[in-house]
Amino acid sequence: MYSKFRNKLKMTALGAASAALLVQAGSAFAAPASAGSAASYDIVVLGDSIAAGYQAGFTEQSVPYGFAEHVFEQALFQGLRAEYVNYGVLGLRTEGLANWLEAAIAGEKVTEADVQAGLSDKDPRVKQMLAEMTDTLAGDIRDAETVLISIGGNDFLGFVNELGLTTNVDALSAGDKTALQDKLDALINNYTTLLDDILGMIGELQPKAEVVIANQYLPLPVLKLPNGETTYPKVAKSAALFLKDGQSTLNARLGEVVKAHGNKGLSIKISDAAAVIEKSILTLTSISDGDIHPKAAGYAALGKAYSEQLWGEYKTVLPRAAGVPISVVVNGEEIVSKYAPVIQKGRTYLAVRDITDAMGAELKWDAATATATVSLDGRTVDITVGAATIRVNGETVPLNAEPAYLQQFPGEKKTYLPLAALSEGLGFQVEYRHEQKIAFINN
């Protein structure tokens, strides 16, 4: 079942080649009902299977880690209290996205037939998604700071399959060539017309959003011969060149639509998926196995391209020393210390002074009671070494973690606190990203 949480949205468990759940990460302690939080930086992802983060071979146990997840992490790296929700649907075409948006704006209930017939053949989640998420789609866009879009590949997939990659286009009659070109031109015209409608609807819902849309990469295996000539294994060169010309026209037309909406005041940029993926198509996609989707490295490259359009950079943590299990980033800055983080029973612990200094919080230590009192922005957390509870603004709350403790170092001991308990007690957002082994703490 899909669930909606306004504290962290994360897609998990791809089932039958599709993602199946949105879940909220568990807290390190039971926060009091009065705990407040700053405004979030909301990311909405729209589009097809690439937006959903699908990779070849996904099963019910697979967890997507696509470009959306990379952009989400980069937002955290920027020190933003980020949230994201992913509306990516396998097999979705531009027409389907336009239909779904139109219905969401009108507040109408929709069925698969209303959006795009046959979607459930490719994505088993579709009926449930349309039933449960159409009500939230328009509102999420209205709340969004950023909208990421990947759409259009399915518009042209049928044409490519019908053409056949081994077809010698040069051997076709003049009439057949003209008919072929006319069909492709019609598809491109339909794509750009619908995309214009989609961007118009997004602009009406949230004119202040930063929108980034990917152009179309062409998933053809390419080899460079020693003489510098380009060849396309298992593909007729004339067919490859015909498709390359069509891709150039398509992406140029995309540029025209984006420019037109930019002139209307929409902040919109293009993520150059074609340049990113096609520089190493065999490494970054599964095309050698007959699947056009990016591999993990391909999604990382796409995530970097989207992020650079948003923030002009793509941040990473420093290499971790042997035995250091996790990196900690507070308000966009990595904590670098000789007192390494420690993980106990799945919880991260950090030297108290390191974390309070990174937060800009005031620290008071009561040696008699072995209690650290940490204050910031009107909130106070008291954590006592060995205690199973902490106090947040004077209210006692249970820890869902091992207590604070004294960590021995050569010639000294350091008080180590449960990172999430302190951070959440002070009203920070806490996000642990398993793939990169990074804990993000943002105010």
mmCIF file with all atom_site columns, all heavy atoms in Angstrom, residues 245-268:
data_model
loop_
_atom_site.group_PDB
_atom_site.id
_atom_site.type_symbol
_atom_site.label_atom_id
_atom_site.label_alt_id
_atom_site.label_comp_id
_atom_site.label_asym_id
_atom_site.label_entity_id
_atom_site.label_seq_id
_atom_site.pdbx_PDB_ins_code
_atom_site.Cartn_x
_atom_site.Cartn_y
_atom_site.Cartn_z
_atom_site.occupancy
_atom_site.B_iso_or_equiv
_atom_site.pdbx_formal_charge
_atom_site.auth_seq_id
_atom_site.auth_comp_id
_atom_site.auth_asym_id
_atom_site.auth_atom_id
_atom_site.pdbx_PDB_model_num
ATOM 1   N N   . ASP A 1 245 ? 19.299 11.277 -36.123 1.00 0.00 ? 245 ASP A N   1
ATOM 2   C CA  . ASP A 1 245 ? 18.749 12.528 -36.661 1.00 0.00 ? 245 ASP A CA  1
ATOM 3   C C   . ASP A 1 245 ? 17.430 12.869 -35.971 1.00 0.00 ? 245 ASP A C   1
ATOM 4   O O   . ASP A 1 245 ? 17.167 14.035 -35.644 1.00 0.00 ? 245 ASP A O   1
ATOM 5   C CB  . ASP A 1 245 ? 18.524 12.393 -38.170 1.00 0.00 ? 245 ASP A CB  1
ATOM 6   C CG  . ASP A 1 245 ? 19.827 12.458 -38.966 1.00 0.00 ? 245 ASP A CG  1
ATOM 7   O OD1 . ASP A 1 245 ? 20.844 12.910 -38.398 1.00 0.00 ? 245 ASP A OD1 1
ATOM 8   O OD2 . ASP A 1 245 ? 19.817 12.057 -40.141 1.00 0.00 ? 245 ASP A OD2 1
ATOM 9   N N   . GLY A 1 246 ? 16.587 11.841 -35.780 1.00 0.00 ? 246 GLY A N   1
ATOM 10  C CA  . GLY A 1 246 ? 15.319 12.076 -35.094 1.00 0.00 ? 246 GLY A CA  1
ATOM 11  C C   . GLY A 1 246 ? 15.530 12.538 -33.661 1.00 0.00 ? 246 GLY A C   1
ATOM 12  O O   . GLY A 1 246 ? 14.824 13.434 -33.171 1.00 0.00 ? 246 GLY A O   1
ATOM 13  N N   . GLN A 1 247 ? 16.505 11.945 -32.983 1.00 0.00 ? 247 GLN A N   1
ATOM 14  C CA  . GLN A 1 247 ? 16.825 12.354 -31.612 1.00 0.00 ? 247 GLN A CA  1
ATOM 15  C C   . GLN A 1 247 ? 17.268 13.817 -31.571 1.00 0.00 ? 247 GLN A C   1
ATOM 16  O O   . GLN A 1 247 ? 16.867 14.578 -30.683 1.00 0.00 ? 247 GLN A O   1
ATOM 17  C CB  . GLN A 1 247 ? 17.923 11.462 -31.043 1.00 0.00 ? 247 GLN A CB  1
ATOM 18  C CG  . GLN A 1 247 ? 18.358 11.856 -29.638 1.00 0.00 ? 247 GLN A CG  1
ATOM 19  C CD  . GLN A 1 247 ? 19.701 11.245 -29.270 1.00 0.00 ? 247 GLN A CD  1
ATOM 20  O OE1 . GLN A 1 247 ? 20.517 10.920 -30.135 1.00 0.00 ? 247 GLN A OE1 1
ATOM 21  N NE2 . GLN A 1 247 ? 19.938 11.090 -27.973 1.00 0.00 ? 247 GLN A NE2 1
ATOM 22  N N   . SER A 1 248 ? 18.095 14.205 -32.523 1.00 0.00 ? 248 SER A N   1
ATOM 23  C CA  . SER A 1 248 ? 18.556 15.599 -32.571 1.00 0.00 ? 248 SER A CA  1
ATOM 24  C C   . SER A 1 248 ? 17.389 16.562 -32.750 1.00 0.00 ? 248 SER A C   1
ATOM 25  O O   . SER A 1 248 ? 17.304 17.600 -32.088 1.00 0.00 ? 248 SER A O   1
ATOM 26  C CB  . SER A 1 248 ? 19.563 15.773 -33.714 1.00 0.00 ? 248 SER A CB  1
ATOM 27  O OG  . SER A 1 248 ? 20.729 15.011 -33.484 1.00 0.00 ? 248 SER A OG  1
ATOM 28  N N   . THR A 1 249 ? 16.465 16.197 -33.633 1.00 0.00 ? 249 THR A N   1
ATOM 29  C CA  . THR A 1 249 ? 15.285 17.038 -33.845 1.00 0.00 ? 249 THR A CA  1
ATOM 30  C C   . THR A 1 249 ? 14.424 17.088 -32.584 1.00 0.00 ? 249 THR A C   1
ATOM 31  O O   . THR A 1 249 ? 13.957 18.154 -32.169 1.00 0.00 ? 249 THR A O   1
ATOM 32  C CB  . THR A 1 249 ? 14.449 16.492 -35.020 1.00 0.00 ? 249 THR A CB  1
ATOM 33  O OG1 . THR A 1 249 ? 15.243 16.482 -36.202 1.00 0.00 ? 249 THR A OG1 1
ATOM 34  C CG2 . THR A 1 249 ? 13.209 17.342 -35.240 1.00 0.00 ? 249 THR A CG2 1
ATOM 35  N N   . LEU A 1 250 ? 14.224 15.922 -31.977 1.00 0.00 ? 250 LEU A N   1
ATOM 36  C CA  . LEU A 1 250 ? 13.410 15.841 -30.769 1.00 0.00 ? 250 LEU A CA  1
ATOM 37  C C   . LEU A 1 250 ? 13.975 16.716 -29.649 1.00 0.00 ? 250 LEU A C   1
ATOM 38  O O   . LEU A 1 250 ? 13.253 17.504 -29.029 1.00 0.00 ? 250 LEU A O   1
ATOM 39  C CB  . LEU A 1 250 ? 13.339 14.386 -30.311 1.00 0.00 ? 250 LEU A CB  1
ATOM 40  C CG  . LEU A 1 250 ? 12.694 14.107 -28.944 1.00 0.00 ? 250 LEU A CG  1
ATOM 41  C CD1 . LEU A 1 250 ? 11.234 14.505 -28.952 1.00 0.00 ? 250 LEU A CD1 1
ATOM 42  C CD2 . LEU A 1 250 ? 12.853 12.627 -28.590 1.00 0.00 ? 250 LEU A CD2 1
ATOM 43  N N   . ASN A 1 251 ? 15.264 16.595 -29.393 1.00 0.00 ? 251 ASN A N   1
ATOM 44  C CA  . ASN A 1 251 ? 15.866 17.355 -28.303 1.00 0.00 ? 251 ASN A CA  1
ATOM 45  C C   . ASN A 1 251 ? 15.946 18.846 -28.616 1.00 0.00 ? 251 ASN A C   1
ATOM 46  O O   . ASN A 1 251 ? 15.865 19.679 -27.707 1.00 0.00 ? 251 ASN A O   1
ATOM 47  C CB  . ASN A 1 251 ? 17.235 16.784 -27.954 1.00 0.00 ? 251 ASN A CB  1
ATOM 48  C CG  . ASN A 1 251 ? 17.138 15.452 -27.215 1.00 0.00 ? 251 ASN A CG  1
ATOM 49  O OD1 . ASN A 1 251 ? 16.103 15.153 -26.628 1.00 0.00 ? 251 ASN A OD1 1
ATOM 50  N ND2 . ASN A 1 251 ? 18.194 14.668 -27.245 1.00 0.00 ? 251 ASN A ND2 1
ATOM 51  N N   . ALA A 1 252 ? 16.064 19.177 -29.899 1.00 0.00 ? 252 ALA A N   1
ATOM 52  C CA  . ALA A 1 252 ? 16.016 20.598 -30.273 1.00 0.00 ? 252 ALA A CA  1
ATOM 53  C C   . ALA A 1 252 ? 14.623 21.172 -30.017 1.00 0.00 ? 252 ALA A C   1
ATOM 54  O O   . ALA A 1 252 ? 14.479 22.301 -29.523 1.00 0.00 ? 252 ALA A O   1
ATOM 55  C CB  . ALA A 1 252 ? 16.409 20.769 -31.743 1.00 0.00 ? 252 ALA A CB  1
ATOM 56  N N   . ARG A 1 253 ? 13.611 20.401 -30.356 1.00 0.00 ? 253 ARG A N   1
ATOM 57  C CA  . ARG A 1 253 ? 12.239 20.850 -30.111 1.00 0.00 ? 253 ARG A CA  1
ATOM 58  C C   . ARG A 1 253 ? 11.963 20.978 -28.614 1.00 0.00 ? 253 ARG A C   1
ATOM 59  O O   . ARG A 1 253 ? 11.253 21.885 -28.175 1.00 0.00 ? 253 ARG A O   1
ATOM 60  C CB  . ARG A 1 253 ? 11.255 19.866 -30.759 1.00 0.00 ? 253 ARG A CB  1
ATOM 61  C CG  . ARG A 1 253 ? 11.305 19.858 -32.298 1.00 0.00 ? 253 ARG A CG  1
ATOM 62  C CD  . ARG A 1 253 ? 10.610 21.076 -32.891 1.00 0.00 ? 253 ARG A CD  1
ATOM 63  N NE  . ARG A 1 253 ? 9.214  21.132 -32.519 1.00 0.00 ? 253 ARG A NE  1
ATOM 64  C CZ  . ARG A 1 253 ? 8.248  20.444 -33.129 1.00 0.00 ? 253 ARG A CZ  1
ATOM 65  N NH1 . ARG A 1 253 ? 8.536  19.641 -34.153 1.00 0.00 ? 253 ARG A NH1 1
ATOM 66  N NH2 . ARG A 1 253 ? 6.992  20.571 -32.744 1.00 0.00 ? 253 ARG A NH2 1
ATOM 67  N N   . LEU A 1 254 ? 12.507 20.050 -27.830 1.00 0.00 ? 254 LEU A N   1
ATOM 68  C CA  . LEU A 1 254 ? 12.397 20.162 -26.378 1.00 0.00 ? 254 LEU A CA  1
ATOM 69  C C   . LEU A 1 254 ? 12.995 21.485 -25.910 1.00 0.00 ? 254 LEU A C   1
ATOM 70  O O   . LEU A 1 254 ? 12.404 22.186 -25.076 1.00 0.00 ? 254 LEU A O   1
ATOM 71  C CB  . LEU A 1 254 ? 13.122 18.994 -25.699 1.00 0.00 ? 254 LEU A CB  1
ATOM 72  C CG  . LEU A 1 254 ? 13.338 19.118 -24.187 1.00 0.00 ? 254 LEU A CG  1
ATOM 73  C CD1 . LEU A 1 254 ? 12.011 19.138 -23.445 1.00 0.00 ? 254 LEU A CD1 1
ATOM 74  C CD2 . LEU A 1 254 ? 14.227 17.995 -23.678 1.00 0.00 ? 254 LEU A CD2 1
ATOM 75  N N   . GLY A 1 255 ? 14.156 21.824 -26.460 1.00 0.00 ? 255 GLY A N   1
ATOM 76  C CA  . GLY A 1 255 ? 14.785 23.090 -26.105 1.00 0.00 ? 255 GLY A CA  1
ATOM 77  C C   . GLY A 1 255 ? 13.905 24.285 -26.418 1.00 0.00 ? 255 GLY A C   1
ATOM 78  O O   . GLY A 1 255 ? 13.856 25.253 -25.640 1.00 0.00 ? 255 GLY A O   1
ATOM 79  N N   . GLU A 1 256 ? 13.183 24.230 -27.525 1.00 0.00 ? 256 GLU A N   1
ATOM 80  C CA  . GLU A 1 256 ? 12.291 25.329 -27.896 1.00 0.00 ? 256 GLU A CA  1
ATOM 81  C C   . GLU A 1 256 ? 11.134 25.453 -26.899 1.00 0.00 ? 256 GLU A C   1
ATOM 82  O O   . GLU A 1 256 ? 10.762 26.569 -26.501 1.00 0.00 ? 256 GLU A O   1
ATOM 83  C CB  . GLU A 1 256 ? 11.746 25.086 -29.309 1.00 0.00 ? 256 GLU A CB  1
ATOM 84  C CG  . GLU A 1 256 ? 12.806 25.174 -30.405 1.00 0.00 ? 256 GLU A CG  1
ATOM 85  C CD  . GLU A 1 256 ? 12.265 24.725 -31.759 1.00 0.00 ? 256 GLU A CD  1
ATOM 86  O OE1 . GLU A 1 256 ? 11.061 24.388 -31.829 1.00 0.00 ? 256 GLU A OE1 1
ATOM 87  O OE2 . GLU A 1 256 ? 13.044 24.689 -32.729 1.00 0.00 ? 256 GLU A OE2 1
ATOM 88  N N   . VAL A 1 257 ? 10.559 24.315 -26.501 1.00 0.00 ? 257 VAL A N   1
ATOM 89  C CA  . VAL A 1 257 ? 9.449  24.346 -25.540 1.00 0.00 ? 257 VAL A CA  1
ATOM 90  C C   . VAL A 1 257 ? 9.929  24.886 -24.199 1.00 0.00 ? 257 VAL A C   1
ATOM 91  O O   . VAL A 1 257 ? 9.263  25.718 -23.565 1.00 0.00 ? 257 VAL A O   1
ATOM 92  C CB  . VAL A 1 257 ? 8.839  22.936 -25.376 1.00 0.00 ? 257 VAL A CB  1
ATOM 93  C CG1 . VAL A 1 257 ? 7.780  22.938 -24.269 1.00 0.00 ? 257 VAL A CG1 1
ATOM 94  C CG2 . VAL A 1 257 ? 8.218  22.463 -26.685 1.00 0.00 ? 257 VAL A CG2 1
ATOM 95  N N   . VAL A 1 258 ? 11.084 24.423 -23.758 1.00 0.00 ? 258 VAL A N   1
ATOM 96  C CA  . VAL A 1 258 ? 11.639 24.878 -22.481 1.00 0.00 ? 258 VAL A CA  1
ATOM 97  C C   . VAL A 1 258 ? 11.921 26.379 -22.525 1.00 0.00 ? 258 VAL A C   1
ATOM 98  O O   . VAL A 1 258 ? 11.611 27.114 -21.573 1.00 0.00 ? 258 VAL A O   1
ATOM 99  C CB  . VAL A 1 258 ? 12.916 24.080 -22.138 1.00 0.00 ? 258 VAL A CB  1
ATOM 100 C CG1 . VAL A 1 258 ? 13.707 24.758 -21.025 1.00 0.00 ? 258 VAL A CG1 1
ATOM 101 C CG2 . VAL A 1 258 ? 12.552 22.651 -21.748 1.00 0.00 ? 258 VAL A CG2 1
ATOM 102 N N   . LYS A 1 259 ? 12.481 26.844 -23.628 1.00 0.00 ? 259 LYS A N   1
ATOM 103 C CA  . LYS A 1 259 ? 12.768 28.274 -23.750 1.00 0.00 ? 259 LYS A CA  1
ATOM 104 C C   . LYS A 1 259 ? 11.481 29.103 -23.702 1.00 0.00 ? 259 LYS A C   1
ATOM 105 O O   . LYS A 1 259 ? 11.436 30.164 -23.060 1.00 0.00 ? 259 LYS A O   1
ATOM 106 C CB  . LYS A 1 259 ? 13.515 28.541 -25.057 1.00 0.00 ? 259 LYS A CB  1
ATOM 107 C CG  . LYS A 1 259 ? 13.908 30.002 -25.247 1.00 0.00 ? 259 LYS A CG  1
ATOM 108 C CD  . LYS A 1 259 ? 14.686 30.199 -26.540 1.00 0.00 ? 259 LYS A CD  1
ATOM 109 C CE  . LYS A 1 259 ? 15.063 31.671 -26.732 1.00 0.00 ? 259 LYS A CE  1
ATOM 110 N NZ  . LYS A 1 259 ? 15.829 31.884 -27.988 1.00 0.00 ? 259 LYS A NZ  1
ATOM 111 N N   . ALA A 1 260 ? 10.448 28.604 -24.362 1.00 0.00 ? 260 ALA A N   1
ATOM 112 C CA  . ALA A 1 260 ? 9.173  29.332 -24.378 1.00 0.00 ? 260 ALA A CA  1
ATOM 113 C C   . ALA A 1 260 ? 8.601  29.472 -22.973 1.00 0.00 ? 260 ALA A C   1
ATOM 114 O O   . ALA A 1 260 ? 8.112  30.539 -22.594 1.00 0.00 ? 260 ALA A O   1
ATOM 115 C CB  . ALA A 1 260 ? 8.172  28.623 -25.289 1.00 0.00 ? 260 ALA A CB  1
ATOM 116 N N   . HIS A 1 261 ? 8.678  28.418 -22.181 1.00 0.00 ? 261 HIS A N   1
ATOM 117 C CA  . HIS A 1 261 ? 8.149  28.494 -20.819 1.00 0.00 ? 261 HIS A CA  1
ATOM 118 C C   . HIS A 1 261 ? 9.077  29.303 -19.921 1.00 0.00 ? 261 HIS A C   1
ATOM 119 O O   . HIS A 1 261 ? 8.606  29.953 -18.982 1.00 0.00 ? 261 HIS A O   1
ATOM 120 C CB  . HIS A 1 261 ? 7.907  27.095 -20.265 1.00 0.00 ? 261 HIS A CB  1
ATOM 121 C CG  . HIS A 1 261 ? 6.671  26.459 -20.805 1.00 0.00 ? 261 HIS A CG  1
ATOM 122 N ND1 . HIS A 1 261 ? 5.436  26.622 -20.223 1.00 0.00 ? 261 HIS A ND1 1
ATOM 123 C CD2 . HIS A 1 261 ? 6.474  25.696 -21.919 1.00 0.00 ? 261 HIS A CD2 1
ATOM 124 C CE1 . HIS A 1 261 ? 4.532  25.967 -20.934 1.00 0.00 ? 261 HIS A CE1 1
ATOM 125 N NE2 . HIS A 1 261 ? 5.130  25.398 -21.967 1.00 0.00 ? 261 HIS A NE2 1
ATOM 126 N N   . GLY A 1 262 ? 10.368 29.275 -20.208 1.00 0.00 ? 262 GLY A N   1
ATOM 127 C CA  . GLY A 1 262 ? 11.271 30.143 -19.479 1.00 0.00 ? 262 GLY A CA  1
ATOM 128 C C   . GLY A 1 262 ? 10.954 31.606 -19.724 1.00 0.00 ? 262 GLY A C   1
ATOM 129 O O   . GLY A 1 262 ? 11.009 32.433 -18.801 1.00 0.00 ? 262 GLY A O   1
ATOM 130 N N   . ASN A 1 263 ? 10.602 31.921 -20.964 1.00 0.00 ? 263 ASN A N   1
ATOM 131 C CA  . ASN A 1 263 ? 10.228 33.308 -21.301 1.00 0.00 ? 263 ASN A CA  1
ATOM 132 C C   . ASN A 1 263 ? 8.934  33.736 -20.615 1.00 0.00 ? 263 ASN A C   1
ATOM 133 O O   . ASN A 1 263 ? 8.690  34.931 -20.419 1.00 0.00 ? 263 ASN A O   1
ATOM 134 C CB  . ASN A 1 263 ? 10.084 33.452 -22.814 1.00 0.00 ? 263 ASN A CB  1
ATOM 135 C CG  . ASN A 1 263 ? 11.419 33.361 -23.544 1.00 0.00 ? 263 ASN A CG  1
ATOM 136 O OD1 . ASN A 1 263 ? 12.472 33.594 -22.946 1.00 0.00 ? 263 ASN A OD1 1
ATOM 137 N ND2 . ASN A 1 263 ? 11.381 33.017 -24.818 1.00 0.00 ? 263 ASN A ND2 1
ATOM 138 N N   . LYS A 1 264 ? 8.118  32.750 -20.227 1.00 0.00 ? 264 LYS A N   1
ATOM 139 C CA  . LYS A 1 264 ? 6.869  33.058 -19.503 1.00 0.00 ? 264 LYS A CA  1
ATOM 140 C C   . LYS A 1 264 ? 7.100  33.193 -17.999 1.00 0.00 ? 264 LYS A C   1
ATOM 141 O O   . LYS A 1 264 ? 6.163  33.463 -17.255 1.00 0.00 ? 264 LYS A O   1
ATOM 142 C CB  . LYS A 1 264 ? 5.833  31.971 -19.769 1.00 0.00 ? 264 LYS A CB  1
ATOM 143 C CG  . LYS A 1 264 ? 5.373  31.865 -21.216 1.00 0.00 ? 264 LYS A CG  1
ATOM 144 C CD  . LYS A 1 264 ? 4.423  30.689 -21.394 1.00 0.00 ? 264 LYS A CD  1
ATOM 145 C CE  . LYS A 1 264 ? 4.013  30.511 -22.843 1.00 0.00 ? 264 LYS A CE  1
ATOM 146 N NZ  . LYS A 1 264 ? 3.135  29.318 -23.034 1.00 0.00 ? 264 LYS A NZ  1
ATOM 147 N N   . GLY A 1 265 ? 8.339  32.964 -17.564 1.00 0.00 ? 265 GLY A N   1
ATOM 148 C CA  . GLY A 1 265 ? 8.657  33.139 -16.149 1.00 0.00 ? 265 GLY A CA  1
ATOM 149 C C   . GLY A 1 265 ? 8.912  31.867 -15.372 1.00 0.00 ? 265 GLY A C   1
ATOM 150 O O   . GLY A 1 265 ? 9.251  31.926 -14.185 1.00 0.00 ? 265 GLY A O   1
ATOM 151 N N   . LEU A 1 266 ? 8.751  30.702 -15.996 1.00 0.00 ? 266 LEU A N   1
ATOM 152 C CA  . LEU A 1 266 ? 9.008  29.447 -15.301 1.00 0.00 ? 266 LEU A CA  1
ATOM 153 C C   . LEU A 1 266 ? 10.510 29.213 -15.226 1.00 0.00 ? 266 LEU A C   1
ATOM 154 O O   . LEU A 1 266 ? 11.225 29.336 -16.232 1.00 0.00 ? 266 LEU A O   1
ATOM 155 C CB  . LEU A 1 266 ? 8.340  28.280 -16.030 1.00 0.00 ? 266 LEU A CB  1
ATOM 156 C CG  . LEU A 1 266 ? 8.413  26.908 -15.351 1.00 0.00 ? 266 LEU A CG  1
ATOM 157 C CD1 . LEU A 1 266 ? 7.649  26.914 -14.040 1.00 0.00 ? 266 LEU A CD1 1
ATOM 158 C CD2 . LEU A 1 266 ? 7.871  25.820 -16.284 1.00 0.00 ? 266 LEU A CD2 1
ATOM 159 N N   . SER A 1 267 ? 11.009 28.884 -14.040 1.00 0.00 ? 267 SER A N   1
ATOM 160 C CA  . SER A 1 267 ? 12.429 28.548 -13.887 1.00 0.00 ? 267 SER A CA  1
ATOM 161 C C   . SER A 1 267 ? 12.610 27.103 -14.322 1.00 0.00 ? 267 SER A C   1
ATOM 162 O O   . SER A 1 267 ? 12.281 26.166 -13.592 1.00 0.00 ? 267 SER A O   1
ATOM 163 C CB  . SER A 1 267 ? 12.868 28.729 -12.432 1.00 0.00 ? 267 SER A CB  1
ATOM 164 O OG  . SER A 1 267 ? 14.212 28.313 -12.266 1.00 0.00 ? 267 SER A OG  1
ATOM 165 N N   . ILE A 1 268 ? 13.117 26.894 -15.530 1.00 0.00 ? 268 ILE A N   1
ATOM 166 C CA  . ILE A 1 268 ? 13.201 25.540 -16.082 1.00 0.00 ? 268 ILE A CA  1
ATOM 167 C C   . ILE A 1 268 ? 14.517 25.347 -16.811 1.00 0.00 ? 268 ILE A C   1
ATOM 168 O O   . ILE A 1 268 ? 14.991 26.238 -17.526 1.00 0.00 ? 268 ILE A O   1
ATOM 169 C CB  . ILE A 1 268 ? 12.004 25.243 -17.020 1.00 0.00 ? 268 ILE A CB  1
ATOM 170 C CG1 . ILE A 1 268 ? 12.084 23.816 -17.549 1.00 0.00 ? 268 ILE A CG1 1
ATOM 171 C CG2 . ILE A 1 268 ? 11.875 26.266 -18.131 1.00 0.00 ? 268 ILE A CG2 1
ATOM 172 C CD1 . ILE A 1 268 ? 10.819 23.326 -18.218 1.00 0.00 ? 268 ILE A CD1 1
#
